[in-house]
Amino acid sequence: MASWSDRHVLVAGARRTGVSVVDVLLHLGARVTVADGDQAQLDALGDRPVARTRELAALPDGADLVVTSPGFRTDAPLALAAREAGVPMVGEPELAWWLGDDPAVCPDGPPRWLAVTGTNGKTTTTTMLEAILRAAGEDTVACGNIGLPIVDALRAGHRVLAVELSSFQLEWSPSVRPFAGAVLNLAEDHLDWHGSMAAYGAAKARVLRGDVAVGGLDDREAAALLIAAPAPRHVGFTRGAPEAGQLGIVDGWLVDRAFGDGVPLAATTDVVPPGPPGELNALAAAALARAHGVAPEAVAAGLRAVAPGAHRGAVVAEAGGVRWVDDSKATNPHAAAASLAAHPRVVWVAGGLLKGADVGELVVEHRDRLAGAVVLGRDRDRVRDALARHAPEVPVLDVGGGDDGAVSDTDDGMLRAARAAATLAHAGDTVLLAPAAASMDMFRDYAARGDAFAAAARVVAGGVGPDGAASPPDPQVTTDGTT
């Protein structure tokens, strides 16, 4: 690779990761142009010595590399322009992978990557992995899609990286080969971005090209990716009793038969969040840590140190025997199914951007536990139609929202949803926000959606509106499932 001082790099996207990319490239002496459609993001770069443009369909003169935010699709105008000009276009993880060999960034050599991907459970697993590595005394940090840019983890000098990678990031990272990588599961998600389930799976499978490939055996698609992985060592994990080369559960214990002969690692009671999804996440994290050489006692200590993440099944209000639970992170049907399975009787709050996914199978699987449903967001009609086809006996309230494309962090739409849910819920029920869809039709992100739900739940559970006035009359169910 030529000296960075001889390179002109276009950084596409000026949010947190883009700014970190800009800073490391300036540190290396590169000439940098930053492109972002939002002038406020460009202005936020302050006095950094970079060129700035809002042009997102063409390359600036002389650019010989594009580092893109993961949101740019491979058929976006900028990607097509780069391809036509013969200019490489990569993501921040790919750049970080290159910089591991650059003594100006990593004077002690490249760190070891332990990578996590999958449709659901990535952040929980990565958080568990970081905690286990810390318990083992490693100089580690969780980074990547979890929030901290990988280039920042490099510059901080961490030696073992717990890296969460999305399918978008992996699509733009052709040479990344973690020492050990795990695919947790694979279900319909982001099909509007990848174009097909096969392309989505191929992106996820890129984490399985290092020394150790780890895969969820209880998920058919993930198990198939593990079988096909080019890594020399394959390790599976399952909630059943493990065979040789696997991690699993025996008599309430996580047990390792891949890196030990039936070694107990931790009690299932040490796992937070509890239940099947959390146990599978813990097994995946343990497999990656054990691949790195972590001792069994560190696995237990790390898992005990993990606190549940926000918007992942948190109880946000309780009144009249009804619990209100925020699982806004359930942004696809697979995640929503796991969330629904944790509660015996549910008023389901669902809808948003389905991204090409189908919710029919989800409804069929969990219709017997539905006391009612409240749908909102742009694709709410698809959720409502699935309920009408597969669970016609379930009352459904449609509270609108998301049709005009306006994004707001106010809780007006969620307050309507909470009030509607309250009319369907009885003592012993759980009002569960598990949308099975992305949030950007109505909210900035899933966290803003979860915050709005929590605020609305507390208002409704208290029986008063946000201004102290009495709550309005209950919405009524019509024969077509609307209010």
Side-chain angles (χ1 to χ4, degrees), residues 161-174:
L161 306 184
V163 188
E164 177 183 329
L165 293 171
S166 72
S167 59
F168 298 171
Q169 290 173 312
L170 286 163
E171 186 69 44
W172 289 115
S173 303

PDB file of all heavy atoms in Angstrom, residues 161-174:
ATOM      1  N   LEU A 161     -10.191  -7.577  20.625  1.00  0.00           N
ATOM      2  CA  LEU A 161     -11.388  -6.817  20.281  1.00  0.00           C
ATOM      3  C   LEU A 161     -12.599  -7.738  20.209  1.00  0.00           C
ATOM      4  O   LEU A 161     -12.572  -8.748  19.500  1.00  0.00           O
ATOM      5  CB  LEU A 161     -11.202  -6.110  18.942  1.00  0.00           C
ATOM      6  CG  LEU A 161      -9.967  -5.213  18.801  1.00  0.00           C
ATOM      7  CD1 LEU A 161      -9.992  -4.507  17.453  1.00  0.00           C
ATOM      8  CD2 LEU A 161      -9.873  -4.210  19.944  1.00  0.00           C
ATOM      9  N   ALA A 162     -13.640  -7.399  20.964  1.00  0.00           N
ATOM     10  CA  ALA A 162     -14.934  -8.061  20.829  1.00  0.00           C
ATOM     11  C   ALA A 162     -15.726  -7.245  19.825  1.00  0.00           C
ATOM     12  O   ALA A 162     -16.237  -6.172  20.144  1.00  0.00           O
ATOM     13  CB  ALA A 162     -15.642  -8.119  22.178  1.00  0.00           C
ATOM     14  N   VAL A 163     -15.805  -7.731  18.593  1.00  0.00           N
ATOM     15  CA  VAL A 163     -16.286  -6.926  17.479  1.00  0.00           C
ATOM     16  C   VAL A 163     -17.675  -7.386  17.052  1.00  0.00           C
ATOM     17  O   VAL A 163     -17.854  -8.519  16.599  1.00  0.00           O
ATOM     18  CB  VAL A 163     -15.328  -7.013  16.276  1.00  0.00           C
ATOM     19  CG1 VAL A 163     -15.744  -6.007  15.201  1.00  0.00           C
ATOM     20  CG2 VAL A 163     -13.893  -6.760  16.703  1.00  0.00           C
ATOM     21  N   GLU A 164     -18.644  -6.503  17.172  1.00  0.00           N
ATOM     22  CA  GLU A 164     -19.967  -6.764  16.606  1.00  0.00           C
ATOM     23  C   GLU A 164     -19.985  -6.247  15.167  1.00  0.00           C
ATOM     24  O   GLU A 164     -19.627  -5.091  14.914  1.00  0.00           O
ATOM     25  CB  GLU A 164     -21.059  -6.061  17.413  1.00  0.00           C
ATOM     26  CG  GLU A 164     -22.447  -6.255  16.820  1.00  0.00           C
ATOM     27  CD  GLU A 164     -23.541  -5.500  17.552  1.00  0.00           C
ATOM     28  OE1 GLU A 164     -23.431  -5.300  18.779  1.00  0.00           O
ATOM     29  OE2 GLU A 164     -24.523  -5.106  16.883  1.00  0.00           O
ATOM     30  N   LEU A 165     -20.393  -7.098  14.245  1.00  0.00           N
ATOM     31  CA  LEU A 165     -20.417  -6.735  12.832  1.00  0.00           C
ATOM     32  C   LEU A 165     -21.800  -6.973  12.245  1.00  0.00           C
ATOM     33  O   LEU A 165     -22.356  -8.066  12.373  1.00  0.00           O
ATOM     34  CB  LEU A 165     -19.375  -7.545  12.050  1.00  0.00           C
ATOM     35  CG  LEU A 165     -17.910  -7.231  12.388  1.00  0.00           C
ATOM     36  CD1 LEU A 165     -16.983  -8.241  11.730  1.00  0.00           C
ATOM     37  CD2 LEU A 165     -17.551  -5.807  11.947  1.00  0.00           C
ATOM     38  N   SER A 166     -22.342  -5.958  11.615  1.00  0.00           N
ATOM     39  CA  SER A 166     -23.623  -6.094  10.917  1.00  0.00           C
ATOM     40  C   SER A 166     -23.395  -6.641   9.518  1.00  0.00           C
ATOM     41  O   SER A 166     -22.265  -6.644   8.999  1.00  0.00           O
ATOM     42  CB  SER A 166     -24.320  -4.740  10.837  1.00  0.00           C
ATOM     43  OG  SER A 166     -23.650  -3.891   9.907  1.00  0.00           O
ATOM     44  N   SER A 167     -24.462  -7.067   8.884  1.00  0.00           N
ATOM     45  CA  SER A 167     -24.342  -7.543   7.500  1.00  0.00           C
ATOM     46  C   SER A 167     -23.898  -6.418   6.577  1.00  0.00           C
ATOM     47  O   SER A 167     -23.160  -6.650   5.611  1.00  0.00           O
ATOM     48  CB  SER A 167     -25.676  -8.129   7.021  1.00  0.00           C
ATOM     49  OG  SER A 167     -26.710  -7.159   7.083  1.00  0.00           O
ATOM     50  N   PHE A 168     -24.344  -5.182   6.857  1.00  0.00           N
ATOM     51  CA  PHE A 168     -23.916  -4.046   6.031  1.00  0.00           C
ATOM     52  C   PHE A 168     -22.404  -3.860   6.141  1.00  0.00           C
ATOM     53  O   PHE A 168     -21.701  -3.673   5.135  1.00  0.00           O
ATOM     54  CB  PHE A 168     -24.596  -2.754   6.499  1.00  0.00           C
ATOM     55  CG  PHE A 168     -26.094  -2.730   6.408  1.00  0.00           C
ATOM     56  CD1 PHE A 168     -26.796  -1.690   6.977  1.00  0.00           C
ATOM     57  CD2 PHE A 168     -26.805  -3.718   5.758  1.00  0.00           C
ATOM     58  CE1 PHE A 168     -28.180  -1.638   6.906  1.00  0.00           C
ATOM     59  CE2 PHE A 168     -28.182  -3.688   5.678  1.00  0.00           C
ATOM     60  CZ  PHE A 168     -28.870  -2.639   6.266  1.00  0.00           C
ATOM     61  N   GLN A 169     -21.895  -3.887   7.365  1.00  0.00           N
ATOM     62  CA  GLN A 169     -20.455  -3.713   7.559  1.00  0.00           C
ATOM     63  C   GLN A 169     -19.668  -4.834   6.887  1.00  0.00           C
ATOM     64  O   GLN A 169     -18.622  -4.589   6.273  1.00  0.00           O
ATOM     65  CB  GLN A 169     -20.141  -3.680   9.053  1.00  0.00           C
ATOM     66  CG  GLN A 169     -20.625  -2.433   9.759  1.00  0.00           C
ATOM     67  CD  GLN A 169     -20.431  -2.531  11.257  1.00  0.00           C
ATOM     68  OE1 GLN A 169     -20.788  -3.540  11.872  1.00  0.00           O
ATOM     69  NE2 GLN A 169     -19.879  -1.495  11.872  1.00  0.00           N
ATOM     70  N   LEU A 170     -20.165  -6.050   7.000  1.00  0.00           N
ATOM     71  CA  LEU A 170     -19.463  -7.178   6.407  1.00  0.00           C
ATOM     72  C   LEU A 170     -19.469  -7.108   4.886  1.00  0.00           C
ATOM     73  O   LEU A 170     -18.498  -7.515   4.239  1.00  0.00           O
ATOM     74  CB  LEU A 170     -20.090  -8.490   6.890  1.00  0.00           C
ATOM     75  CG  LEU A 170     -19.744  -8.839   8.343  1.00  0.00           C
ATOM     76  CD1 LEU A 170     -20.706  -9.882   8.881  1.00  0.00           C
ATOM     77  CD2 LEU A 170     -18.308  -9.331   8.438  1.00  0.00           C
ATOM     78  N   GLU A 171     -20.538  -6.594   4.322  1.00  0.00           N
ATOM     79  CA  GLU A 171     -20.604  -6.458   2.863  1.00  0.00           C
ATOM     80  C   GLU A 171     -19.471  -5.568   2.347  1.00  0.00           C
ATOM     81  O   GLU A 171     -18.924  -5.802   1.273  1.00  0.00           O
ATOM     82  CB  GLU A 171     -21.952  -5.868   2.457  1.00  0.00           C
ATOM     83  CG  GLU A 171     -22.196  -5.824   0.961  1.00  0.00           C
ATOM     84  CD  GLU A 171     -22.367  -7.207   0.360  1.00  0.00           C
ATOM     85  OE1 GLU A 171     -23.075  -8.038   0.956  1.00  0.00           O
ATOM     86  OE2 GLU A 171     -21.771  -7.461  -0.718  1.00  0.00           O
ATOM     87  N   TRP A 172     -19.101  -4.557   3.150  1.00  0.00           N
ATOM     88  CA  TRP A 172     -18.050  -3.622   2.735  1.00  0.00           C
ATOM     89  C   TRP A 172     -16.681  -3.996   3.319  1.00  0.00           C
ATOM     90  O   TRP A 172     -15.781  -3.166   3.363  1.00  0.00           O
ATOM     91  CB  TRP A 172     -18.425  -2.203   3.169  1.00  0.00           C
ATOM     92  CG  TRP A 172     -19.571  -1.607   2.401  1.00  0.00           C
ATOM     93  CD1 TRP A 172     -20.788  -1.265   2.882  1.00  0.00           C
ATOM     94  CD2 TRP A 172     -19.584  -1.267   1.009  1.00  0.00           C
ATOM     95  NE1 TRP A 172     -21.568  -0.740   1.883  1.00  0.00           N
ATOM     96  CE2 TRP A 172     -20.854  -0.740   0.718  1.00  0.00           C
ATOM     97  CE3 TRP A 172     -18.651  -1.379  -0.024  1.00  0.00           C
ATOM     98  CZ2 TRP A 172     -21.217  -0.311  -0.544  1.00  0.00           C
ATOM     99  CZ3 TRP A 172     -19.003  -0.953  -1.292  1.00  0.00           C
ATOM    100  CH2 TRP A 172     -20.269  -0.421  -1.543  1.00  0.00           C
ATOM    101  N   SER A 173     -16.522  -5.239   3.764  1.00  0.00           N
ATOM    102  CA  SER A 173     -15.269  -5.648   4.419  1.00  0.00           C
ATOM    103  C   SER A 173     -14.745  -6.943   3.801  1.00  0.00           C
ATOM    104  O   SER A 173     -14.776  -8.002   4.433  1.00  0.00           O
ATOM    105  CB  SER A 173     -15.496  -5.823   5.926  1.00  0.00           C
ATOM    106  OG  SER A 173     -15.984  -4.642   6.499  1.00  0.00           O
ATOM    107  N   PRO A 174     -14.242  -6.896   2.584  1.00  0.00           N
ATOM    108  CA  PRO A 174     -13.906  -8.130   1.866  1.00  0.00           C
ATOM    109  C   PRO A 174     -12.733  -8.914   2.424  1.00  0.00           C
ATOM    110  O   PRO A 174     -12.650 -10.125   2.214  1.00  0.00           O
ATOM    111  CB  PRO A 174     -13.607  -7.632   0.440  1.00  0.00           C
ATOM    112  CG  PRO A 174     -13.241  -6.195   0.601  1.00  0.00           C
ATOM    113  CD  PRO A 174     -14.073  -5.693   1.738  1.00  0.00           C
TER     114      PRO A 174
END
